[in-house]
C-alpha cells in the first residue's frame, strides 16, 4: 500500500507566489480599513467644529466630501459597470445555421435508412 503515498514536496513556485500575494492583499486591506476608520473619525470632529463656526461653508464641505468618497466608491468597478448588464446577447446565427445543417443531414440519413429497411424487408 506504500505505492499510493505521495512524497512530500515543497509547494510549487506558483502556489508560493499566490500565497504571498494573498498575504500582501490581506495586509493592504487591513491598512485601508484602518485608514478609512481614521478618516471617518477625523471627519466627524472637523465637521462639528466647522458647522459651529461657519454654517454657510457646509455646501463647499459637502462638495469636498463627495470628491473624497469617489475614490472609495470606485474600489469595486462592477458596481458601476452598466455596459455588461445592458448589452444584448450576441447573435448566434452561425451556430444556429450549423445546427440546421446537421439536423438536415441527420434527417436525410434517417430517410435513407428507412427506405433501405422498407425495400429489403418487403418481398
Amino acid at each position: 500500500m506504500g505505492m499510493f503515498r505521495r512524497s512530500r514536496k515543497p509547494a510549487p513556485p506558483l502556489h508560493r507566489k499566490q500565497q504571498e500575494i494573498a498575504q500582501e492583499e490581506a495586509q493592504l486591506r487591513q491598512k485601508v480599513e484602518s485608514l478609512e476608520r481614521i478618516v471617518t473619525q477625523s471627519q466627524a470632529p472637523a465637521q462639528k467644529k466647522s458647522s459651529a463656526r461657519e454654517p454657510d461653508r457646509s455646501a463647499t464641505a459637502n462638495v469636498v466630501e463627495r470628491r473624497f468618497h469617489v475614490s472609495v466608491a470606485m474600489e469595486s468597478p462592477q458596481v458601476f459597470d452598466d455596459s455588461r448588464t445592458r448589452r444584448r446577447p450576441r447573435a448566434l446565427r452561425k451556430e444556429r445555421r450549423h445546427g440546421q445543417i446537421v439536423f438536415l443531414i441527420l434527417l436525410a440519413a434517417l430517410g435513407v435508412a428507412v427506405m433501405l429497411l422498407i425495400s429489403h424487408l418487403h418481398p
Side-chain angles (χ1 to χ4, degrees), residues 81-115:
D81 191 14
D82 291 334
S83 63
R84 268 192 259 153
T85 57
R86 292 187 181 173
R87 190 172 54 184
R88 207 177 78 183
R90 66 182 182 95
L92 301 174
R93 285 189 211 121
K94 184 177 180 180
E95 289 83 356
R96 190 180 314 131
R97 186 76 178 151
H98 180 72
Q100 288 174 346
I101 291 171
V102 169
F103 175 74
L104 290 176
I105 290 172
L106 289 174
L107 191 63
L110 180 65
V112 169
V114 168
M115 288 174 61

mmCIF file of all heavy atoms in Angstrom, residues 81-115:
data_model
loop_
_atom_site.group_PDB
_atom_site.id
_atom_site.type_symbol
_atom_site.label_atom_id
_atom_site.label_comp_id
_atom_site.label_asym_id
_atom_site.label_seq_id
_atom_site.Cartn_x
_atom_site.Cartn_y
_atom_site.Cartn_z
ATOM 1 N N ASP A 81 -20.285 49.331 -13.598
ATOM 2 C CA ASP A 81 -20.148 48.891 -14.976
ATOM 3 C C ASP A 81 -21.502 48.434 -15.505
ATOM 4 O O ASP A 81 -21.882 47.278 -15.338
ATOM 5 C CB ASP A 81 -19.119 47.765 -15.069
ATOM 6 C CG ASP A 81 -18.742 47.455 -16.495
ATOM 7 O OD1 ASP A 81 -19.064 48.283 -17.370
ATOM 8 O OD2 ASP A 81 -18.124 46.410 -16.725
ATOM 9 N N ASP A 82 -22.234 49.344 -16.126
ATOM 10 C CA ASP A 82 -23.549 49.021 -16.671
ATOM 11 C C ASP A 82 -23.455 48.458 -18.080
ATOM 12 O O ASP A 82 -24.432 47.944 -18.611
ATOM 13 C CB ASP A 82 -24.443 50.266 -16.698
ATOM 14 C CG ASP A 82 -24.816 50.710 -15.292
ATOM 15 O OD1 ASP A 82 -24.817 49.846 -14.399
ATOM 16 O OD2 ASP A 82 -25.112 51.904 -15.105
ATOM 17 N N SER A 83 -22.311 48.582 -18.724
ATOM 18 C CA SER A 83 -22.196 48.118 -20.106
ATOM 19 C C SER A 83 -22.391 46.608 -20.201
ATOM 20 O O SER A 83 -22.929 46.116 -21.175
ATOM 21 C CB SER A 83 -20.845 48.513 -20.686
ATOM 22 O OG SER A 83 -19.815 47.871 -19.972
ATOM 23 N N ARG A 84 -21.943 45.861 -19.175
ATOM 24 C CA ARG A 84 -22.109 44.411 -19.220
ATOM 25 C C ARG A 84 -23.560 43.998 -19.042
ATOM 26 O O ARG A 84 -24.016 43.069 -19.660
ATOM 27 C CB ARG A 84 -21.282 43.762 -18.112
ATOM 28 C CG ARG A 84 -19.912 43.370 -18.574
ATOM 29 C CD ARG A 84 -19.248 42.495 -17.577
ATOM 30 N NE ARG A 84 -18.314 43.326 -16.820
ATOM 31 C CZ ARG A 84 -17.937 43.098 -15.604
ATOM 32 N NH1 ARG A 84 -18.376 42.073 -14.958
ATOM 33 N NH2 ARG A 84 -17.107 43.903 -15.001
ATOM 34 N N THR A 85 -24.290 44.684 -18.171
ATOM 35 C CA THR A 85 -25.653 44.266 -17.881
ATOM 36 C C THR A 85 -26.627 44.695 -18.972
ATOM 37 O O THR A 85 -27.599 44.017 -19.225
ATOM 38 C CB THR A 85 -26.124 44.842 -16.533
ATOM 39 O OG1 THR A 85 -26.003 46.261 -16.578
ATOM 40 C CG2 THR A 85 -25.277 44.291 -15.408
ATOM 41 N N ARG A 86 -26.373 45.804 -19.630
ATOM 42 C CA ARG A 86 -27.303 46.307 -20.628
ATOM 43 C C ARG A 86 -27.033 45.761 -22.019
ATOM 44 O O ARG A 86 -27.858 45.896 -22.907
ATOM 45 C CB ARG A 86 -27.234 47.836 -20.677
ATOM 46 C CG ARG A 86 -27.783 48.458 -19.420
ATOM 47 C CD ARG A 86 -27.852 49.936 -19.559
ATOM 48 N NE ARG A 86 -28.360 50.521 -18.342
ATOM 49 C CZ ARG A 86 -28.414 51.796 -18.115
ATOM 50 N NH1 ARG A 86 -27.984 52.643 -19.016
ATOM 51 N NH2 ARG A 86 -28.898 52.263 -16.987
ATOM 52 N N ARG A 87 -25.883 45.157 -22.209
ATOM 53 C CA ARG A 87 -25.519 44.671 -23.533
ATOM 54 C C ARG A 87 -26.397 43.486 -23.927
ATOM 55 O O ARG A 87 -26.630 42.576 -23.139
ATOM 56 C CB ARG A 87 -24.059 44.258 -23.542
ATOM 57 C CG ARG A 87 -23.545 43.982 -24.933
ATOM 58 C CD ARG A 87 -22.074 43.773 -24.932
ATOM 59 N NE ARG A 87 -21.710 42.724 -23.973
ATOM 60 C CZ ARG A 87 -20.485 42.379 -23.709
ATOM 61 N NH1 ARG A 87 -19.498 42.994 -24.280
ATOM 62 N NH2 ARG A 87 -20.226 41.425 -22.843
ATOM 63 N N ARG A 88 -26.880 43.513 -25.159
ATOM 64 C CA ARG A 88 -27.722 42.447 -25.671
ATOM 65 C C ARG A 88 -26.861 41.229 -25.955
ATOM 66 O O ARG A 88 -25.728 41.360 -26.406
ATOM 67 C CB ARG A 88 -28.379 42.919 -26.965
ATOM 68 C CG ARG A 88 -29.698 42.256 -27.246
ATOM 69 C CD ARG A 88 -30.296 42.827 -28.475
ATOM 70 N NE ARG A 88 -29.604 42.209 -29.623
ATOM 71 C CZ ARG A 88 -29.827 42.517 -30.872
ATOM 72 N NH1 ARG A 88 -30.677 43.460 -31.173
ATOM 73 N NH2 ARG A 88 -29.191 41.918 -31.845
ATOM 74 N N PRO A 89 -27.381 40.020 -25.729
ATOM 75 C CA PRO A 89 -26.595 38.844 -26.065
ATOM 76 C C PRO A 89 -26.294 38.821 -27.567
ATOM 77 O O PRO A 89 -27.137 39.189 -28.376
ATOM 78 C CB PRO A 89 -27.474 37.672 -25.683
ATOM 79 C CG PRO A 89 -28.695 38.217 -25.081
ATOM 80 C CD PRO A 89 -28.663 39.698 -25.158
ATOM 81 N N ARG A 90 -25.103 38.374 -27.928
ATOM 82 C CA ARG A 90 -24.713 38.418 -29.329
ATOM 83 C C ARG A 90 -25.534 37.428 -30.143
ATOM 84 O O ARG A 90 -26.018 36.426 -29.640
ATOM 85 C CB ARG A 90 -23.222 38.138 -29.487
ATOM 86 C CG ARG A 90 -22.814 36.748 -29.102
ATOM 87 C CD ARG A 90 -21.310 36.596 -29.259
ATOM 88 N NE ARG A 90 -20.918 35.249 -28.936
ATOM 89 C CZ ARG A 90 -20.759 34.299 -29.836
ATOM 90 N NH1 ARG A 90 -20.953 34.553 -31.100
ATOM 91 N NH2 ARG A 90 -20.396 33.088 -29.464
ATOM 92 N N ALA A 91 -25.676 37.723 -31.409
ATOM 93 C CA ALA A 91 -26.449 36.866 -32.297
ATOM 94 C C ALA A 91 -25.723 35.535 -32.488
ATOM 95 O O ALA A 91 -24.510 35.481 -32.618
ATOM 96 C CB ALA A 91 -26.641 37.555 -33.638
ATOM 97 N N LEU A 92 -26.483 34.478 -32.514
ATOM 98 C CA LEU A 92 -25.910 33.149 -32.656
ATOM 99 C C LEU A 92 -26.269 32.573 -34.026
ATOM 100 O O LEU A 92 -26.612 31.401 -34.150
ATOM 101 C CB LEU A 92 -26.421 32.240 -31.542
ATOM 102 C CG LEU A 92 -26.118 32.699 -30.117
ATOM 103 C CD1 LEU A 92 -26.797 31.799 -29.108
ATOM 104 C CD2 LEU A 92 -24.629 32.729 -29.879
ATOM 105 N N ARG A 93 -26.201 33.389 -35.062
ATOM 106 C CA ARG A 93 -26.607 32.954 -36.397
ATOM 107 C C ARG A 93 -25.748 31.799 -36.893
ATOM 108 O O ARG A 93 -26.263 30.835 -37.463
ATOM 109 C CB ARG A 93 -26.499 34.124 -37.385
ATOM 110 C CG ARG A 93 -27.594 35.126 -37.220
ATOM 111 C CD ARG A 93 -27.545 36.116 -38.368
ATOM 112 N NE ARG A 93 -28.018 37.391 -37.859
ATOM 113 C CZ ARG A 93 -27.329 38.511 -37.852
ATOM 114 N NH1 ARG A 93 -26.126 38.548 -38.355
ATOM 115 N NH2 ARG A 93 -27.828 39.609 -37.350
ATOM 116 N N LYS A 94 -24.450 31.913 -36.699
ATOM 117 C CA LYS A 94 -23.540 30.884 -37.205
ATOM 118 C C LYS A 94 -23.834 29.534 -36.548
ATOM 119 O O LYS A 94 -23.929 28.508 -37.229
ATOM 120 C CB LYS A 94 -22.100 31.300 -36.946
ATOM 121 C CG LYS A 94 -21.079 30.362 -37.519
ATOM 122 C CD LYS A 94 -19.680 30.886 -37.273
ATOM 123 C CE LYS A 94 -18.640 29.947 -37.841
ATOM 124 N NZ LYS A 94 -17.286 30.441 -37.612
ATOM 125 N N GLU A 95 -23.993 29.546 -35.224
ATOM 126 C CA GLU A 95 -24.277 28.312 -34.509
ATOM 127 C C GLU A 95 -25.636 27.744 -34.903
ATOM 128 O O GLU A 95 -25.802 26.534 -35.052
ATOM 129 C CB GLU A 95 -24.224 28.540 -32.990
ATOM 130 C CG GLU A 95 -22.825 28.764 -32.456
ATOM 131 C CD GLU A 95 -22.348 30.202 -32.593
ATOM 132 O OE1 GLU A 95 -23.084 31.025 -33.180
ATOM 133 O OE2 GLU A 95 -21.233 30.493 -32.145
ATOM 134 N N ARG A 96 -26.631 28.612 -35.060
ATOM 135 C CA ARG A 96 -27.959 28.165 -35.441
ATOM 136 C C ARG A 96 -27.924 27.549 -36.839
ATOM 137 O O ARG A 96 -28.520 26.499 -37.090
ATOM 138 C CB ARG A 96 -28.938 29.344 -35.412
ATOM 139 C CG ARG A 96 -30.380 28.906 -35.566
ATOM 140 C CD ARG A 96 -31.345 30.076 -35.539
ATOM 141 N NE ARG A 96 -31.080 31.013 -34.476
ATOM 142 C CZ ARG A 96 -30.995 32.337 -34.653
ATOM 143 N NH1 ARG A 96 -31.155 32.858 -35.837
ATOM 144 N NH2 ARG A 96 -30.764 33.134 -33.631
ATOM 145 N N ARG A 97 -27.208 28.193 -37.758
ATOM 146 C CA ARG A 97 -27.096 27.688 -39.130
ATOM 147 C C ARG A 97 -26.402 26.325 -39.136
ATOM 148 O O ARG A 97 -26.838 25.405 -39.834
ATOM 149 C CB ARG A 97 -26.303 28.692 -39.976
ATOM 150 C CG ARG A 97 -26.252 28.348 -41.420
ATOM 151 C CD ARG A 97 -27.563 28.683 -42.081
ATOM 152 N NE ARG A 97 -27.471 28.394 -43.501
ATOM 153 C CZ ARG A 97 -28.499 28.047 -44.238
ATOM 154 N NH1 ARG A 97 -29.691 27.988 -43.711
ATOM 155 N NH2 ARG A 97 -28.348 27.804 -45.507
ATOM 156 N N HIS A 98 -25.361 26.188 -38.348
ATOM 157 C CA HIS A 98 -24.649 24.912 -38.256
ATOM 158 C C HIS A 98 -25.583 23.818 -37.729
ATOM 159 O O HIS A 98 -25.593 22.690 -38.242
ATOM 160 C CB HIS A 98 -23.429 25.065 -37.352
ATOM 161 C CG HIS A 98 -22.635 23.820 -37.187
ATOM 162 N ND1 HIS A 98 -21.858 23.287 -38.193
ATOM 163 C CD2 HIS A 98 -22.511 22.973 -36.130
ATOM 164 C CE1 HIS A 98 -21.296 22.176 -37.765
ATOM 165 N NE2 HIS A 98 -21.664 21.970 -36.522
ATOM 166 N N GLY A 99 -26.374 24.141 -36.720
ATOM 167 C CA GLY A 99 -27.320 23.182 -36.165
ATOM 168 C C GLY A 99 -28.373 22.762 -37.179
ATOM 169 O O GLY A 99 -28.764 21.588 -37.240
ATOM 170 N N GLN A 100 -28.837 23.712 -37.982
ATOM 171 C CA GLN A 100 -29.831 23.386 -39.004
ATOM 172 C C GLN A 100 -29.251 22.444 -40.049
ATOM 173 O O GLN A 100 -29.914 21.492 -40.489
ATOM 174 C CB GLN A 100 -30.327 24.667 -39.681
ATOM 175 C CG GLN A 100 -31.215 25.515 -38.796
ATOM 176 C CD GLN A 100 -31.559 26.854 -39.447
ATOM 177 O OE1 GLN A 100 -30.946 27.261 -40.422
ATOM 178 N NE2 GLN A 100 -32.547 27.536 -38.877
ATOM 179 N N ILE A 101 -28.002 22.685 -40.449
ATOM 180 C CA ILE A 101 -27.362 21.825 -41.452
ATOM 181 C C ILE A 101 -27.189 20.408 -40.905
ATOM 182 O O ILE A 101 -27.482 19.419 -41.591
ATOM 183 C CB ILE A 101 -26.011 22.432 -41.891
ATOM 184 C CG1 ILE A 101 -26.261 23.706 -42.705
ATOM 185 C CG2 ILE A 101 -25.195 21.426 -42.698
ATOM 186 C CD1 ILE A 101 -25.011 24.505 -43.017
ATOM 187 N N VAL A 102 -26.736 20.292 -39.664
ATOM 188 C CA VAL A 102 -26.564 18.971 -39.048
ATOM 189 C C VAL A 102 -27.911 18.261 -38.956
ATOM 190 O O VAL A 102 -28.022 17.060 -39.249
ATOM 191 C CB VAL A 102 -25.898 19.102 -37.661
ATOM 192 C CG1 VAL A 102 -25.952 17.789 -36.897
ATOM 193 C CG2 VAL A 102 -24.462 19.570 -37.805
ATOM 194 N N PHE A 103 -28.952 18.994 -38.577
ATOM 195 C CA PHE A 103 -30.286 18.399 -38.479
ATOM 196 C C PHE A 103 -30.744 17.871 -39.832
ATOM 197 O O PHE A 103 -31.269 16.751 -39.924
ATOM 198 C CB PHE A 103 -31.281 19.435 -37.944
ATOM 199 C CG PHE A 103 -32.695 18.953 -37.922
ATOM 200 C CD1 PHE A 103 -33.110 18.035 -36.975
ATOM 201 C CD2 PHE A 103 -33.613 19.410 -38.866
ATOM 202 C CE1 PHE A 103 -34.423 17.584 -36.958
ATOM 203 C CE2 PHE A 103 -34.916 18.966 -38.849
ATOM 204 C CZ PHE A 103 -35.325 18.047 -37.902
ATOM 205 N N LEU A 104 -30.554 18.641 -40.896
ATOM 206 C CA LEU A 104 -30.976 18.205 -42.229
ATOM 207 C C LEU A 104 -30.197 16.979 -42.692
ATOM 208 O O LEU A 104 -30.764 16.064 -43.306
ATOM 209 C CB LEU A 104 -30.830 19.352 -43.226
ATOM 210 C CG LEU A 104 -31.832 20.505 -43.052
ATOM 211 C CD1 LEU A 104 -31.522 21.627 -44.026
ATOM 212 C CD2 LEU A 104 -33.249 20.004 -43.249
ATOM 213 N N ILE A 105 -28.891 16.946 -42.392
ATOM 214 C CA ILE A 105 -28.084 15.778 -42.766
ATOM 215 C C ILE A 105 -28.570 14.532 -42.031
ATOM 216 O O ILE A 105 -28.733 13.459 -42.630
ATOM 217 C CB ILE A 105 -26.587 16.042 -42.492
ATOM 218 C CG1 ILE A 105 -26.063 17.093 -43.483
ATOM 219 C CG2 ILE A 105 -25.771 14.760 -42.587
ATOM 220 C CD1 ILE A 105 -24.662 17.578 -43.183
ATOM 221 N N LEU A 106 -28.841 14.672 -40.728
ATOM 222 C CA LEU A 106 -29.338 13.524 -39.954
ATOM 223 C C LEU A 106 -30.717 13.089 -40.435
ATOM 224 O O LEU A 106 -31.025 11.891 -40.484
ATOM 225 C CB LEU A 106 -29.365 13.865 -38.463
ATOM 226 C CG LEU A 106 -28.007 13.990 -37.788
ATOM 227 C CD1 LEU A 106 -28.177 14.467 -36.348
ATOM 228 C CD2 LEU A 106 -27.259 12.671 -37.826
ATOM 229 N N LEU A 107 -31.556 14.044 -40.793
ATOM 230 C CA LEU A 107 -32.889 13.726 -41.304
ATOM 231 C C LEU A 107 -32.797 12.973 -42.630
ATOM 232 O O LEU A 107 -33.522 11.987 -42.847
ATOM 233 C CB LEU A 107 -33.702 15.016 -41.475
ATOM 234 C CG LEU A 107 -35.188 14.872 -41.754
ATOM 235 C CD1 LEU A 107 -35.876 14.193 -40.580
ATOM 236 C CD2 LEU A 107 -35.807 16.226 -42.006
ATOM 237 N N ALA A 108 -31.884 13.418 -43.496
ATOM 238 C CA ALA A 108 -31.693 12.735 -44.779
ATOM 239 C C ALA A 108 -31.166 11.322 -44.545
ATOM 240 O O ALA A 108 -31.607 10.357 -45.205
ATOM 241 C CB ALA A 108 -30.733 13.528 -45.655
ATOM 242 N N ALA A 109 -30.219 11.148 -43.610
ATOM 243 C CA ALA A 109 -29.682 9.819 -43.304
ATOM 244 C C ALA A 109 -30.779 8.914 -42.752
ATOM 245 O O ALA A 109 -30.846 7.721 -43.099
ATOM 246 C CB ALA A 109 -28.532 9.935 -42.320
ATOM 247 N N LEU A 110 -31.640 9.452 -41.916
ATOM 248 C CA LEU A 110 -32.754 8.671 -41.379
ATOM 249 C C LEU A 110 -33.683 8.252 -42.515
ATOM 250 O O LEU A 110 -34.159 7.100 -42.544
ATOM 251 C CB LEU A 110 -33.519 9.480 -40.332
ATOM 252 C CG LEU A 110 -34.706 8.791 -39.688
ATOM 253 C CD1 LEU A 110 -34.246 7.584 -38.872
ATOM 254 C CD2 LEU A 110 -35.486 9.755 -38.826
ATOM 255 N N GLY A 111 -33.966 9.155 -43.426
ATOM 256 C CA GLY A 111 -34.831 8.820 -44.561
ATOM 257 C C GLY A 111 -34.234 7.720 -45.420
ATOM 258 O O GLY A 111 -34.945 6.788 -45.832
ATOM 259 N N VAL A 112 -32.937 7.807 -45.689
ATOM 260 C CA VAL A 112 -32.270 6.771 -46.483
ATOM 261 C C VAL A 112 -32.330 5.432 -45.760
ATOM 262 O O VAL A 112 -32.604 4.383 -46.361
ATOM 263 C CB VAL A 112 -30.812 7.180 -46.793
ATOM 264 C CG1 VAL A 112 -30.023 6.009 -47.375
ATOM 265 C CG2 VAL A 112 -30.790 8.361 -47.735
ATOM 266 N N ALA A 113 -32.091 5.446 -44.440
ATOM 267 C CA ALA A 113 -32.124 4.203 -43.661
ATOM 268 C C ALA A 113 -33.525 3.589 -43.688
ATOM 269 O O ALA A 113 -33.681 2.369 -43.854
ATOM 270 C CB ALA A 113 -31.683 4.471 -42.236
ATOM 271 N N VAL A 114 -34.558 4.404 -43.554
ATOM 272 C CA VAL A 114 -35.936 3.896 -43.581
ATOM 273 C C VAL A 114 -36.240 3.310 -44.961
ATOM 274 O O VAL A 114 -36.852 2.236 -45.081
ATOM 275 C CB VAL A 114 -36.929 5.013 -43.194
ATOM 276 C CG1 VAL A 114 -38.362 4.604 -43.496
ATOM 277 C CG2 VAL A 114 -36.781 5.363 -41.724
ATOM 278 N N MET A 115 -35.837 3.974 -46.031
ATOM 279 C CA MET A 115 -36.099 3.474 -47.386
ATOM 280 C C MET A 115 -35.387 2.142 -47.624
ATOM 281 O O MET A 115 -35.962 1.214 -48.219
ATOM 282 C CB MET A 115 -35.650 4.510 -48.419
ATOM 283 C CG MET A 115 -36.555 5.725 -48.458
ATOM 284 S SD MET A 115 -35.972 7.046 -49.520
ATOM 285 C CE MET A 115 -35.934 6.250 -51.103
#
